[in-house]
Amino acid sequence: MHYNVGGADRVGRLIVGVALIALNLFGILSGTLATIAWVVAAIAIVTGLIRFCPANSLFGINTCHSAD
């Protein structure tokens, strides 16, 4: 698989994902906003873990500096 999510981008995605989950778990978000936050958190965490983002690929963005 061709990676397109690099170091800082990856860490940022994971932090945003965990933060959104925390906001939901502590009850700070509710209703439709909470549902949207769950979806965004899941996408951010998954793309951070697998180091591939379809949106980055679509727009030609590559934050991964290595050739792996």
Side-chain angles (χ1 to χ4, degrees):
M1 173 181 273
H2 177 72
Y3 301 122
N4 64 5
V5 176
D9 187 14
R10 184 178 189 193
V11 171
R13 289 169 188 263
L14 294 173
I15 289 171
V16 166
V18 170
L20 288 173
I21 289 172
L23 289 173
N24 275 309
L25 291 178
F26 290 122
I28 297 171
L29 301 176
S30 62
T32 304
L33 186 58
T35 303
I36 293 169
W38 279 115
V39 171
V40 171
I43 292 170
I45 289 174
V46 168
T47 58
L49 289 176
I50 66 171
R51 296 172 43 187
F52 177 78
C53 177
N56 280 8
S57 183
L58 180 67
F59 294 112
I61 300 169
N62 185 355
T63 61
C64 188
H65 298 290
S66 64
D68 51 359

